[in-house]
Structures are given as structure tokens and as C-alpha cells.
Amino acid sequence: MRRVKLPKMCRFQFLDFNNRVTIRTFNKEIYILKSGLIVQNVETNQLRRIEEIYYDIRTVRSIKGTIVAKRKNKNSDLYLVEEAS
């Protein structure tokens, strides 16, 4: 079986996804991306900068539930999976 390499997702591509993606971290927290690269925790409503949680991000999903980007473990890079519409 041949492995397919996925393109790496650039950090600043998040600018295009304001209020259109949810972010799940390895410790199972869920955030919504707000404008200005601010994320809001859906349970506590705490606001943080994307840089604070970037390396903990496991999965980025569109509001419709489609996976946009993911990483297998904390040591791997965040990969673009599918273009969000």
C-alpha cells in the first residue's frame, strides 16, 4: 500500500476560517475560532489566542462537521485535510 503525503497547513490559514471552524485539542477541550485569531472555549467561554493552543490542536472541523485539518500526535505537524466551503 502506498502512503499519500498530505500538505502541511500553514498557521496563518486560520484567518480564512473565522466563526466557521471548531478546534478540538488533545485534552478534549473544544474552541470556536473568532476574529483576530482568538479562540473561545465552548464550555467556559474563556478567550485565548490561537498561539496559546496551536500545538495542542488535534482536529479542526468546519461548522458542518467536515474535518479541515488534523494531526496524529502532539509531535506531528497540523495537516490540511479538505478545503472548507
Side-chain angles (χ1 to χ4, degrees), residues 16-84:
D16 297 335
F17 297 117
N18 289 345
N19 294 313
R20 293 188 358 221
V21 294
T22 59
I23 298 168
R24 183 172 179 183
T25 61
F26 283 100
N27 60 1
K28 300 189 187 324
E29 292 179 335
I30 299 174
Y31 294 87
I32 293 178
L33 181 66
K34 299 293 185 181
S35 62
L37 296 178
I38 300 293
V39 292
Q40 183 177 19
N41 187 305
V42 296
E43 291 180 13
T44 65
N45 291 327
Q46 177 187 17
L47 296 174
R48 298 176 76 180
R49 293 176 57 164
I50 191 81
E51 298 90 32
E52 295 175 35
I53 68 160
Y54 182 79
Y55 292 103
D56 291 325
I57 294 173
R58 180 178 181 141
T59 308
V60 180
R61 292 182 183 263
S62 71
I63 296 299
K64 295 178 182 178
T66 306
I67 295 176
V68 177
K70 66 188 292 183
R71 83 173 91 214
K72 291 184 178 185
N73 59 56
K74 287 187 177 187
N75 297 322
S76 64
D77 289 320
L78 188 62
Y79 286 100
L80 181 64
V81 173
E82 187 175 312
E83 288 294 320

Side-chain angles (χ1 to χ4, degrees), residues 4-18:
V4 177
K5 287 217 171 209
L6 298 173
K8 290 182 182 177
M9 184 172 188
C10 178
R11 282 179 95 162
F12 297 105
Q13 282 182 319
F14 281 103
L15 286 172
D16 297 335
F17 297 117
N18 289 345

